[in-house]
Amino acid sequence: MELMEIYEAYDLTRCAWSAARLAGCDPKTVQRYVAIRAAGGNPYQTAPRAKLIDPFLAKIEEKVDLSKATVRADIVHSDLVAMGFTGSERTTRRAVAQIKAAWRAGRRRVYRPWIPEPGMWLQWDWGEGPRIGDRRTQLFCCWLAWSRFRVVLPTWDQTLGTLTACLDAALRRIGGAPTYLLTDNPKTVTVEHIAKVAVRHPQMVELGRHYGCVVHTCEPFDPESKGGVENTVKIAKADLVPTATNLRAAYGSFAELEEACATWCEQVNTRRHRATHRVPAEMLAEERARLHLVPDQPYVLALGDERLVGDDRTIRWGDVRYSVPPGHEGAKVWCRVHGDHLVIVGRDLRSDRAGALTEVWRHELSVPGRPRIVAEHYPDHPGGNGPRQPRPRPQSKAEQDFLAIGPGAQAWLIEAAATGVARIRAKMARAVELAAIVGATRVDQALGLAAIHGRFGDEDLASICDYLATHEEQSQAAVADEAHSAQPGTASWAALSAHPHPSPTPASPGPSSSNRTPTEEETRR
């Protein structure tokens, strides 16, 4: 029986008994449905039956409201059982689910569509990056609201210096600075809240003044107020962090992670965005007209921690000494960790850019006990850690006259002193006399040869000078090596092997051998 047939029969006859005969039902049924229609009710809705949990619904509503629809049904059921409820846990779960749905429907958050303006907002946030070895990384993610241009930079930590360096790098990659910088409330941005008013970190205020931006923070524990950058973090982590879903291999070094982040940014910024149907890189070119210029010099906090260069041209970072180029002794430099390197930034010493900040040097990170000392940072101290060659410095008139002969005299003095030659001063005086007679050039050459060959006898210098006088060109000194050896060779035996010995002539058989009868064994052979 159709309900519409009952209503049609009643409207035709205006009598419940006659309508019941036409519809084929009881007159009381017709009267009940007609009464429901007259009262404006729903004839298909049945009246609810009484349940065991009905007396406890008010208590459930109280618990749901106090917990803001987060209380678990099993907790509610245990409390109801203590109050005398005899029903099943399934009944409690149904009642809790219905009351939670009603509570959320009455307190649903309504959003107003946010239409960003070009050049106004830049949002940033942090995400957990992949592990490199046993060390965690962080992903700095920022998002330019109007053009949807994204920048992702990997770091080792979320310190204030690292944050400042990432913001500086992001603004320079974008090519300008917006009006507002929006983020959540970490301690690097918000020091505390007083009457729910965020107290800004003084360094962040100075950073905003340096770049011409205003740093803003969203409501605490309300990430939905900066949903654009939240989606950027989610997408970046899904693509860059190795998981079983994206099948990305683990990163072997920090440089590989940097390259992967740069490649990812290139991909997302050069493809059409779903919301705007435009390429973010092309929209950024238009938005740059609304951005203001980034200062040439970064904010000093972006350079890292301040260090003082000692007289030994080194700075200390993590109990490890790192050397710097000459000219920075006693000056301040700034150090920060970038990947696996320590970046040292200081003032430029060149006259055309005097005072400008520039990267002084970049060292690989080391551990205590293994300093990073570069030899080219000490051009006036050659030799490294080995013994230094003595440098003659005359103290008397006799020493000055001897060393004035030339470099050969200096070499002779150094070698003679190292060998422990006796009567060195007398021999030096003899060399000065010879220089006055035969000339300083020949004596200097003779002294050099004497130092090379270890000739420090009383008459050796005069003998060498006589030899040089008769030979215009000095013959090359013989050095004991593989080509000049005192070991006797085998050349004489090689000459003998060149003439082969004559082979002996075979003897002719005797008469007894020709008349001998061969044996049976010889016949078989």
Side-chain angles (χ1 to χ4, degrees), residues 54-323:
D54 287 348
F56 304 93
L57 291 179
K59 193 61 168 178
I60 298 176
E61 292 176 354
E62 177 186 351
K63 290 182 174 295
V64 169
D65 185 62
L66 290 176
S67 65
K68 297 183 179 180
T70 59
V71 66
R72 299 203 319 259
D74 57 340
I75 302 298
V76 175
H77 180 73
S78 62
D79 294 342
L80 296 184
V81 170
M83 295 172 60
F85 178 62
T86 59
S88 64
E89 186 176 351
R90 182 181 181 184
T91 303
T92 306
R93 289 185 180 277
R94 288 181 176 178
V96 171
Q98 292 175 359
I99 294 175
K100 281 185 177 181
W103 188 92
R104 293 191 183 101
R107 293 167 177 81
R108 187 177 301 276
R109 183 175 180 179
V110 179
Y111 298 93
R112 177 180 178 178
W114 182 50
I115 303 177
E117 299 180 21
M120 290 287 290
W121 291 95
L122 175 70
Q123 302 176 5
W124 89 79
D125 200 359
W126 295 93
E128 181 72 21
R131 284 185 174 270
I132 299 179
D134 295 333
R135 191 173 180 183
R136 298 169 56 184
T137 62
Q138 304 292 329
L139 296 178
F140 172 83
C141 306
C142 68
W143 180 73
L144 203 57
W146 185 79
S147 61
R148 274 77 172 179
F149 190 85
R150 295 183 174 98
V151 177
V152 176
L153 301 172
T155 64
W156 289 117
D157 50 49
Q158 299 183 19
T159 59
L160 184 58
T162 302
L163 171 61
T164 308
C166 290
L167 285 173
D168 181 82
L171 293 178
R172 296 186 188 281
R173 183 176 297 185
I174 291 172
T179 304
Y180 301 104
L181 302 176
L182 178 65
T183 185
D184 48 14
N185 291 269
K187 289 298 182 181
T188 54
V189 180
T190 300
V191 179
E192 60 177 336
H193 284 83
I194 300 177
K196 291 189 176 182
V197 176
V199 179
R200 199 74 65 232
H201 196 292
Q203 291 287 354
M204 295 306 297
V205 177
E206 292 296 329
L207 180 143
R209 292 173 182 170
H210 181 80
Y211 293 103
C213 305
V214 179
V215 180
H216 271 281
T217 55
C218 63
E219 291 293 328
F221 309 105
D222 186 18
E224 295 177 352
S225 59
K226 55 180 182 60
V229 72
E230 291 289 336
N231 289 331
T232 300
V233 173
K234 180 178 67 176
I235 297 172
K237 291 175 63 175
D239 291 345
L240 295 173
V241 179
T243 59
T245 305
N246 56 25
L247 300 180
R248 181 182 286 273
Y251 299 95
S253 63
F254 191 84
E256 293 183 12
L257 178 58
E258 282 186 314
E259 183 179 356
C261 292
T263 304
W264 183 84
C265 292
E266 182 69 20
Q267 292 175 354
V268 298
N269 291 326
T270 55
R271 68 187 180 193
R272 193 178 67 165
H273 195 272
R274 177 177 56 86
T276 61
H277 288 196
R278 296 182 61 186
V279 178
E282 298 177 356
M283 297 184 67
L284 177 62
E286 299 180 14
E287 190 172 9
R288 284 199 182 105
R290 301 292 185 91
L291 302 174
H292 52 269
L293 297 178
V294 180
D296 294 335
Q297 300 295 331
Y299 183 53
V300 67
L301 195 61
L303 304 177
D305 295 341
E306 190 177 273
R307 291 293 187 272
L308 184 66
V309 181
D311 294 336
D312 56 354
R313 294 177 187 164
T314 62
I315 56 99
R316 286 188 175 272
W317 179 272
D319 294 332
V320 181
R321 290 196 302 172
Y322 297 88
S323 63

Side-chain angles (χ1 to χ4, degrees), residues 36 58 69 135 210 252 270 345 351 376 391 497 521:
I36 292 174
R135 191 173 180 183
H210 181 80
T270 55
V345 178
S351 58
E376 60 186 271
R391 182 165 58 91
S497 63
E521 184 179 358

